[in-house]
């Protein structure tokens, strides 16, 4: 802390300071402008000349012809990298002293082109990861952004869970390459600082087919390094892994919880921290995992800060002869260095005036505070003595605040009489004049005289005495019920020359009549009446009300208490005292009765399986509950005026356990494969477990047996059990019953159910009778059905012997009582094999001998286009098969709908124009003709009603 003798003045204060500047080497604007502007009175000068608001420190520079001043700014014309890189400061001066700005750097930005050398192809097996190197060219500043294009601009690579572009290296990472990644890739590097982008030569990526595609464990290829961030900065940490399946990436902070301001982006590859703070420093870890393995990486984040004042410091002006303590204590990381300047130079503390600067700085930046000192004769130019009003018998203070340095001597006069301190009149240390117990005789003109070693001045004001304000009707204490309306009276007398205002407050807080107009209202009953109406009174409106009658000169206050009676408040401290299997004892503390005795309490509970509160049936203060169940309790109080709010819920507590009383329901089963007995049931709801270690006991036997067999199922959510025994006959009836158990004992059995063991799989194959193609895409076939008692249905399988590599067999299901089916979605002009087999719950039987069919050729697809008097008909070219003759012409039949004959046209083209008819709708049929005859017909309907 440094103590200085100072004076009020108007030394220079910076309003605009130079900032770090990056000048693009290729900029068409051949100049750099460094801004600087200072506020001062008189205006700041340079070398005594009033030409600018500052001077620029250009020490040891010989190229002054490049520099000029424009509007307070430094302009560097035709900047040269070898001459003008460096740090610049601005010095502003006037008669009170000089101040120096923070320094700012000038650097030259550039981004070279990528190397013109051809990039080598990258060959990668499908399923493996790939890394395409960007290798950005030389550049300044270091910050670049990267994107990649595929084959041509602007087809940018979409970034997702599988693909990632590092914004540190620019490399493109593909976690798992597939065939669609084939192509030519180019890296785009962009410099935001100089608004320039460059493209690399294309890198061919060639995926190599591998069947089957192998899987690879997660393997980190992008790992964020130890990082230093600044307080308030937004930073991004990168992690990306190769692997098949594509790895999932997770983040955590090893030495504490993740910051609240974190975001995970880019499918997990980016951890973004917004507005970094000191406490965010620590070790961070990214984890990549897939079904083949995991990989980990961790590094540290350090957080540093530019200097900041421990206590806020204002730029300050003080008077010569006064004292001022300026605490120059700063925080920052690394710890800041503190230095003082006077008039822009290392400080020499003396009694002389000047501009003092405290500077705290570390490698990241600096903070600066200023104070100035001047001396001047007293002046009342900006603070003359004012005209004051005072109430009779009241108190008044007349201020005297001249501007002066050093501090002046103050004296007062009334009219022509010099004033001195007395029992009623006091001259304060700061020069103000105080008068107590004011009377009419105190009215008059008051003059303040100020003098120091630089000169003297005076200023005259006046005092007018008014009648005092008095409460004539004070508010009275009230007693109301919640929901009623009430009024508080208040009236006052006052000086007729002044306006009066009434201000109401509740417990010292002023009532906002506009904001709370739903309850409070001031009726218009004359200027001297301040009555307050309170509508629909609530419990919160109880308390001490004060009415203040206020004029410009004085105020007076009267108070009253309003009592509000209402429903009880919420009870507190609800807790469980003791418990049994079906009851719990609850205790609570009484809440506020709100001035009306409590007549009853209602106890409510809810369990872990319901969000609804239920009223407890009580005996004393206990209720019928379920064993081994978590409960919460709350209590509601009631009095003659209503029911209050419920208490906060008690901590959850569990009743004691007991044996089950509810049996599983809906016991049934059947089906499965040969040698199986499948038993199913509806599980007991958790509410009825009644204790830990809940499970089921299954009892079953063949119908004619006497001895039961027992099985224990320990999963409380189980609903199915399969008993396997190869000796079990097919379709045998079993008697089955199920009961629940827990650690306390067993519950009752369910009703006994009859369940049959699994059937044998069908032993015979259906016999296909016949089948045929109906069209180019559909076929139908028939078979001799199997015995319906042995099957649940049929499965039909059909396939092409000559098919595409990715084409699979087709399967359809058919009901057990059918003997034929239609197959759709077939390919035209193709051979198909069809087979059928029966199935039941035990499995599939043997397939039939396959049936071979051949689908019909596809029809020519015909289209139409209406003209004014004609219709244009076109169709697709019919391509003959290898064993067919070529098409020599197309035959077009134009007939009226419902008629079999019409006009026949022959053409070798794929279109024809026909006249429109007005006597009804027509049909156009198109057939391809070869020397072997006509092919299938394609047709289209022509409607004439829209044109005639």
């Amino acid at each position: 802390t440094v103590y200085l003798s100072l004076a009020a003045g108007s030394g220079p204060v910076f309003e605009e300071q130079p900032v770090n500047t990056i000048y693009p080497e290729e900029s068409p604007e051949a100049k750099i402008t460094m801004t600087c502007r200072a506020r001062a009175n008189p205006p700041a000068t340079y070398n005594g000349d009033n030409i600018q608001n500052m001077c620029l420190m250009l020490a040891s520079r010989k190229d002054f012809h490049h520099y000029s001043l424009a509007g307070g700014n430094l302009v560097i014309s035709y900047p040269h990298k070898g001459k003008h890189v460096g740090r610049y400061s601005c010095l502003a001066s006037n008669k009170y002293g000089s101040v120096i700005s923070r320094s700012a750097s000038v650097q030259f930005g550039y981004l070279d082109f990528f190397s013109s050398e051809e990039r080598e192809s990258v060959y990668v097996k499908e399923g493996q990861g790939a890394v395409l190197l960007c290798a950005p060219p030389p550049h300044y500043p270091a910050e670049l952004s990267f994107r990649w294009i595929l084959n041509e601009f602007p087809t940018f690579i979409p970034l997702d869970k599988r693909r990632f572009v590092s914004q540190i290296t620019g490399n493109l990472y593909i976690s798992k390459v597939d065939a669609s990644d084939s192509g030519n890739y180019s890296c785009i590097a962009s410099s935001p600082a100089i608004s320039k982008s460059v493209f690399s030569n294309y890198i061919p990526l060639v995926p190599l087919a591998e069947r089957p595609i192998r899987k690879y464990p997660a393997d980190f290829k992008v790992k964020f390094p130890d990082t230093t961030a600044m307080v308030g900065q937004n930073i991004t940490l990168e992690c990306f892994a190769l692997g098949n399946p594509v790895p999932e990436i997770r983040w955590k902070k090893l030495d504490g919880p993740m910051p609240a301001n974190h975001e995970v982006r880019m499918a997990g590859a980016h951890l973004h921290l917004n507005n970094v703070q000191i406490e965010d420093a620590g070790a961070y870890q990214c984890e990549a995992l897939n079904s083949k393995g995991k990989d980990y990486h961790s590094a540290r984040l350090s957080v540093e800060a530019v200097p900041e004042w421990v206590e806020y410091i204002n730029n300050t002006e003080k008077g010569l002869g006064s004292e001022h303590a300026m605490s120059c204590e700063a925080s920052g990381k690394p710890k800041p260095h503190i230095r003082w300047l006077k008039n822009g130079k290392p400080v020499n503390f003396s009694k002389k005036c000047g501009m003092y600067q405290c500077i705290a700085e570390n490698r990241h930046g600096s903070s600066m505070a200023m104070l100035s000192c001047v001396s001047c004769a007293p002046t009342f130019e900006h603070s003359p003595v004012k005209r004051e009003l005072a109430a009779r018998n009241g108190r008044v203070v007349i201020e005297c605040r001249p501007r002066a340095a050093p501090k002046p001597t103050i004296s007062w006069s009334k009219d022509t009489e010099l004033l001195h301190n007395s029992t009623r009149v006091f001259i304060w240390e700061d020069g103000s004049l105080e008068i107590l117990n004011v009377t009419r005789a105190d009215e008059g003109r008051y003059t303040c005289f100020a003098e120091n070693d630089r000169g003297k001045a005076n200023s005259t004001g006046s005092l007018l005495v008014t009648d005092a304000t008095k409460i004539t009707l004070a508010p009275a204490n009230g007693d109301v019920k919640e929901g009623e309306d009430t009024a508080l009276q208040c009236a006052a007398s006052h000086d007729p020359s002044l306006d009066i205002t009434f201000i109401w407050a509740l417990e010292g807080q002023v009532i906002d009549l506009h904001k709370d107009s739903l309850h409070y209202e001031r009726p218009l009953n004359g200027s001297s009446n301040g009555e307050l109406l309170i509508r629909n009174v609530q419990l919160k409106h109880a308390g001490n009300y004060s009415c203040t009658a206020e004029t410009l000169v004085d105020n007076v206050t009267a108070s009253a208490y309003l009592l509000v009676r209402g429903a009880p408040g919420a009870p507190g401290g609800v807790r469980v005292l003791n418990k049994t299997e079906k009851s719990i004892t609850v205790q609570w503390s009484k809440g506020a009765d709100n001035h009306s005795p409590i007549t009853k309490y209602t106890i409510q509970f809810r369990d872990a399986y319901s969000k609804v509160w239920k009223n407890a049936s009580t005996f004393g203060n206990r209720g019928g509950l379920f064993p081994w169940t978590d409960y919460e309790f709350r209590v509601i109080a009631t009095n003659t005026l209503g029911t209050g709010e419920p208490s906060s819920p008690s901590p959850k507590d569990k009743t004691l356990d007991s044996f089950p009383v509810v049996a599983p329901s809906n016991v049934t089963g059947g089906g499965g494969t040969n040698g199986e007995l499948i038993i199913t049931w509806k599980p007991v709801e958790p509410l009825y477990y009644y204790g830990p270690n809940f499970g089921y006991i299954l009892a079953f036997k063949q119908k004619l047996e006497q001895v039961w067999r027992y099985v224990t199922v320990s999963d409380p959510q189980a609903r199915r059990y399969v008993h396997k025994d190869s000796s079990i006959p097919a379709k045998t009836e079993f008697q089955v019953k199920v009961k629940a158990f827990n650690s306390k004992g067993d519950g009752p059995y369910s009703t006994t159910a009859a369940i049959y063991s699994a059937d044998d799989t069908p032993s015979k194959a259906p016999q296909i009778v016949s089948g045929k193609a109906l069209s180019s895409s559909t076929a139908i076939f028939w078979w001799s059905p199997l015995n319906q008692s042995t099957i649940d249905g049929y499965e039909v399988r059909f396939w092409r012997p000559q098919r595409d590599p990715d084409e699979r067999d087709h399967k359809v299901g058919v009901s057990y009582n059918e003997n034929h089916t239609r197959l759709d979605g077939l390919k035209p002009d193709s051979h198909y094999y069809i087979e059928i087999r029966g199935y039941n719950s035990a499995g599939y039987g043997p397939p039939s001998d396959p049936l071979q069919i051949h689908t019909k050729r596809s029809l020519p697809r015909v289209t139409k286009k209406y003209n004014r008097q004609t219709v244009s008909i076109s169709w697709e070219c019919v391509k003959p098969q290898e064993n067919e003759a070529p098409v020599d012409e197309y035959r077009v039949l134009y007939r009226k709908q419902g008629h079999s004959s019409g006009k026949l046209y022959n053409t070798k083209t794929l279109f024809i124009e026909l006249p429109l008819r007005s006597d009804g709708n027509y049909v156009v049929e198109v057939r391809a003709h070869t020397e072997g005859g006509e092919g299938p017909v394609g047709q289209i309907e022509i409607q004439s009603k829209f044109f005639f």
Side-chain angles (χ1 to χ4, degrees):
T1 302
V2 179
Y3 292 85
L4 299 174
S5 296
L6 305 170
S10 299
V13 177
F14 285 113
E15 293 184 331
E16 200 169 358
Q17 300 188 59
V19 297
N20 294 336
T21 300
I22 296 176
Y23 175 75
E25 291 184 359
E26 301 173 10
S27 174
E29 185 177 11
K31 66 179 180 180
I32 298 173
T33 301
M34 304 287 286
T35 58
C36 185
R37 181 161 55 90
R39 180 182 74 251
N41 184 22
T45 63
Y46 172 55
N47 281 352
D49 300 322
N50 189 16
I51 55 174
Q52 296 295 341
N53 289 350
M54 56 74 164
C55 72
L56 291 138
M57 307 303 295
L58 305 171
S60 301
R61 298 206 179 269
K62 301 178 180 180
D63 54 343
F64 286 99
H65 61 280
H66 284 276
Y67 298 101
S68 61
L69 294 172
N73 301 329
L74 173 67
V75 179
I76 307 175
S77 302
Y78 303 104
H80 187 276
K81 186 175 182 178
K83 298 178 179 180
H84 300 131
V85 169
R87 302 196 67 83
Y88 294 76
S89 296
C90 167
L91 186 73
S93 305
N94 69 3
K95 69 178 183 178
Y96 297 117
S98 304
V99 290
I100 191 168
S101 74
R102 63 170 175 256
S103 66
S105 68
V106 170
Q107 297 288 345
F108 285 68
Y110 64 94
L111 175 59
D112 292 348
F113 291 102
F114 277 92
S115 170
S116 60
E117 293 183 6
E118 184 177 344
R119 298 285 189 108
E120 293 184 0
S121 299
V122 177
Y123 297 89
V124 183
K125 291 181 180 180
E126 291 183 19
Q128 288 186 339
V131 180
L132 303 187
L133 302 181
C134 178
H139 58 278
Y140 184 88
E143 293 77 17
L144 295 179
S145 64
F146 300 94
R147 300 179 76 178
W148 284 74
I149 59 175
L150 175 60
N151 295 330
E152 60 181 0
F153 185 85
T155 307
F156 293 103
I157 300 294
L159 303 182
D160 51 28
K161 192 175 181 180
R162 195 172 64 88
R163 288 168 291 201
F164 175 72
V165 175
S166 170
Q167 295 304 308
I168 305 300
T169 64
N171 297 340
L172 170 63
Y173 299 83
I174 304 176
S175 63
K176 181 194 73 168
V177 170
D178 58 36
S180 65
D181 294 320
S182 176
N184 296 311
Y185 291 76
S186 174
C187 176
I188 305 176
S190 301
S191 173
I194 63 173
S195 302
K196 181 181 178 181
S197 299
V198 291
F199 296 69
S200 74
N201 283 342
Y202 280 104
I203 305 172
L205 175 62
V206 183
L208 303 176
E210 183 178 55
R211 296 294 183 270
I213 295 177
R214 296 177 57 190
K215 294 186 177 180
Y216 301 92
D219 180 20
F220 273 124
K221 292 300 181 184
V222 178
K223 304 176 182 179
F224 69 97
D226 287 342
T227 304
T228 299
M230 301 301 298
V231 168
Q233 183 182 1
N234 299 335
I235 67 160
T236 300
L237 306 181
E238 293 187 342
C239 273
F240 190 76
L242 310 185
N244 182 20
V246 175
E248 179 183 351
I249 299 176
R250 300 172 181 170
W251 290 84
K252 66 180 177 181
K253 191 168 186 279
L254 295 179
D255 46 7
M258 288 285 276
N261 54 2
H262 83 279
E263 295 179 74
V264 178
R265 300 176 179 173
M266 297 296 295
H270 278 173
L271 174 63
H272 192 74
L273 302 180
N274 295 295
N275 189 22
V276 171
Q277 299 300 308
I278 293 291
E279 58 269 22
D280 296 338
Y284 288 81
Q285 182 188 79
C286 51
E287 174 192 21
L289 66 158
N290 63 10
S291 59
K292 298 297 289 181
K294 298 181 180 179
D295 195 10
Y296 301 89
H297 170 70
S298 62
R300 293 200 64 82
L301 171 67
S302 301
V303 181
E304 299 190 348
V306 298
E308 286 188 352
W309 302 119
V310 174
E311 295 181 3
Y312 180 76
I313 303 177
N314 281 316
N315 294 331
T316 307
E317 298 176 345
K318 287 290 181 178
L320 184 65
S322 64
E323 286 193 344
H324 177 66
M326 186 174 187
S327 177
C328 241
E329 183 181 356
S331 63
K333 193 175 181 182
K335 183 178 179 180
H337 168 69
I338 305 294
R339 62 190 178 97
W340 285 84
L341 300 178
K342 178 184 177 183
N343 295 331
K345 298 178 180 179
V347 71
N348 175 23
F349 294 111
S350 67
K351 296 299 180 180
K352 294 183 179 180
C353 288
M355 298 297 296
Y356 291 84
Q357 292 175 276
C358 175
I359 301 173
E361 55 194 356
N362 62 15
R363 62 172 173 259
H364 299 301
S366 62
S367 290
M368 183 183 301
M370 291 184 286
L371 56 90
S372 63
C373 68
V374 294
S375 61
C376 64
T379 175
F380 287 93
E381 180 182 358
H382 299 293
S383 55
V385 177
K386 299 177 182 178
R387 175 179 180 267
E388 299 289 349
L389 298 174
R392 279 196 300 171
N393 301 318
R395 165 184 175 274
V396 67
V397 175
I398 307 174
E399 290 187 343
C400 179
R401 298 288 176 88
R403 185 179 183 190
K407 183 179 179 180
T409 301
I410 302 295
S411 60
W412 282 88
S413 70
K414 175 182 181 291
D415 297 329
T416 58
E417 177 188 358
L418 189 63
L419 298 177
H420 302 280
N421 286 341
S422 67
T423 56
R424 285 198 321 114
V425 179
F426 302 93
I427 300 175
W428 290 0
E429 179 69 21
D430 67 357
S432 299
L433 177 66
E434 179 183 26
I435 304 174
L436 303 178
N437 301 320
V438 175
T439 67
R440 290 285 185 186
D442 292 320
E443 288 186 337
R445 292 170 58 82
Y446 288 79
T447 301
C448 174
F449 299 90
E451 182 178 357
N452 66 10
D453 60 0
R454 302 295 194 273
K456 61 178 68 176
N458 64 75
S459 178
T460 300
S462 62
L463 175 64
L464 178 65
V465 179
T466 64
D467 291 335
T469 304
K470 297 179 181 179
I471 296 289
T472 57
L473 178 60
N477 295 336
D479 187 337
V480 296
K481 295 177 182 177
E482 189 177 17
E484 293 181 342
D485 297 342
T486 190
L488 296 175
Q489 302 293 331
C490 188
S493 63
H494 60 98
D495 191 291
S497 66
L498 302 174
D499 292 329
I500 190 169
T501 300
F502 289 89
I503 300 171
W504 284 91
L506 172 59
E507 298 296 349
Q509 296 295 319
V510 174
I511 298 171
D512 188 331
L513 298 176
H514 176 72
K515 186 176 180 180
D516 203 2
S517 59
L518 185 64
H519 294 287
Y520 292 110
E521 180 184 339
R522 276 282 317 282
L524 301 175
N525 294 331
S527 62
S528 296
N529 192 322
E531 181 184 21
L532 177 68
L533 298 180
I534 311 176
R535 304 192 184 280
N536 186 21
V537 174
Q538 303 296 303
L539 292 171
K540 65 181 181 180
H541 296 141
N544 189 65
Y545 284 82
S546 61
C547 170
T548 300
E550 182 177 79
T551 67
L552 182 64
V553 177
D554 64 346
N555 63 76
V556 63
T557 300
S559 300
Y561 191 85
L562 180 64
L563 180 72
V564 180
R565 303 179 189 272
V574 181
R575 64 191 182 100
V576 173
L577 287 185
N578 53 61
K579 56 191 176 182
T580 68
E581 295 90 344
K582 296 185 178 181
S583 67
I584 280 180
T585 302
V586 180
Q587 185 184 61
W588 63 90
S589 58
K590 177 184 176 182
D593 63 8
N594 292 324
H595 312 292
S596 180
I598 294 173
T599 57
K600 74 168 184 175
Y601 290 98
T602 301
I603 303 170
Q604 295 185 326
F605 69 90
R606 67 180 176 188
D607 56 42
Y609 311 105
S610 172
K611 295 182 179 179
V612 178
W613 289 95
K614 304 172 186 176
N615 289 345
S617 56
T618 62
F619 176 75
N621 53 355
R622 294 176 292 180
L625 306 171
F626 289 102
W628 204 65
T629 301
D630 283 317
Y631 287 98
E632 293 176 285
F633 296 88
R634 70 181 187 183
V635 181
I636 305 172
T638 301
N639 62 17
T640 57
L641 296 179
T643 298
E645 293 295 316
S647 69
S648 298
S650 68
K652 288 183 179 179
D653 210 331
K654 192 188 295 288
T655 50
L656 302 182
D657 55 350
S658 179
F659 55 83
V661 298
V662 176
S665 60
N666 197 25
V667 178
T668 182
T673 60
N674 191 23
E676 290 184 347
L677 173 66
I678 297 179
I679 304 170
T680 62
W681 64 93
K682 182 180 179 182
V684 174
E685 295 183 9
L687 181 63
Y688 301 105
Y689 287 177
Y690 285 13
N693 303 320
F694 186 87
Y696 302 99
I697 297 175
L698 282 61
F700 57 93
K701 69 180 183 66
Q702 291 189 28
K703 182 177 182 182
L704 300 179
E705 289 181 343
Q706 299 300 317
V707 180
W708 291 85
R709 283 184 266 184
Y710 300 93
V711 173
T712 299
V713 178
S714 58
D715 181 5
Q717 295 298 319
R719 58 183 65 238
R720 184 174 186 268
Y721 174 75
V722 180
H723 177 69
K724 296 185 177 183
D725 186 348
S726 59
S727 65
I728 296 177
K731 282 286 185 179
T732 300
E733 181 180 346
F734 280 77
Q735 302 293 308
V736 179
K737 55 186 179 181
V738 184
K739 67 178 178 181
F741 72 90
N742 63 20
S743 58
K744 274 286 187 178
D746 298 349
Y749 273 113
S750 66
T751 55
T752 302
I755 301 175
Y756 288 86
S757 61
D759 199 355
D760 286 333
T761 57
S763 58
K764 294 183 179 180
Q767 184 177 359
I768 297 179
V769 176
S770 63
K772 64 177 181 179
L774 299 178
S775 68
S776 61
S777 61
T778 60
I780 189 170
F781 75 102
W782 291 262
W783 64 89
S784 298
L786 299 174
N787 185 342
Q788 293 186 2
S789 65
T790 64
I791 65 168
D792 295 334
Y794 297 96
E795 181 189 72
V796 178
R797 173 173 166 259
F798 55 97
W799 70 95
R800 292 196 306 162
Q802 303 295 327
R803 54 184 169 180
D804 299 333
D806 59 346
E807 185 177 345
R808 299 180 179 179
D809 293 356
H810 301 272
K811 296 178 182 179
V812 295
V814 183
S815 174
Y816 71 92
N817 56 5
E818 296 287 349
N819 71 338
H820 69 280
T821 192
R822 171 175 165 154
L823 305 178
D824 296 307
L826 307 180
K827 293 185 179 294
D829 196 28
S830 298
H831 289 287
Y832 276 90
Y833 287 109
I834 303 171
E835 69 178 22
I836 184 171
R837 59 179 175 171
Y839 69 86
N840 59 20
S841 60
Y844 291 94
S848 65
D849 294 332
L851 169 70
Q852 183 177 352
I853 64 169
H854 192 279
T855 54
K856 297 183 178 182
R857 291 172 54 183
S858 59
L859 306 177
R861 191 167 70 88
V862 184
T863 59
K864 62 187 175 183
K865 179 181 179 183
Y866 289 106
N867 305 312
R868 177 168 296 182
Q869 298 295 329
T870 62
V871 60
S872 298
I873 305 297
S874 59
W875 55 89
E876 294 178 343
C877 176
V878 175
K879 297 179 180 179
Q881 301 296 322
E882 292 181 359
N883 59 349
E884 294 179 337
V887 175
D888 52 32
E889 67 176 0
Y890 293 93
R891 294 183 177 180
V892 181
L893 178 64
Y894 191 27
R895 62 177 177 83
K896 190 173 183 180
Q897 199 170 50
H899 293 65
S900 59
S901 61
K903 186 169 183 178
L904 184 65
Y905 299 87
N906 298 335
T907 179
K908 295 183 180 295
T909 66
L910 298 178
F911 61 90
I912 192 171
E913 190 164 308
L914 301 175
L916 283 170
R917 307 293 187 187
S918 60
D919 57 343
N921 292 341
Y922 275 70
V923 174
V924 176
E925 296 180 351
V926 180
R927 295 175 175 84
H929 183 270
T930 70
E931 65 181 18
E934 295 180 349
V937 64
Q939 66 178 25
I940 194 168
E941 182 180 348
I942 307 299
Q943 296 177 319
S944 60
K945 62 183 178 181
F946 297 113
F947 298 92
F948 297 96

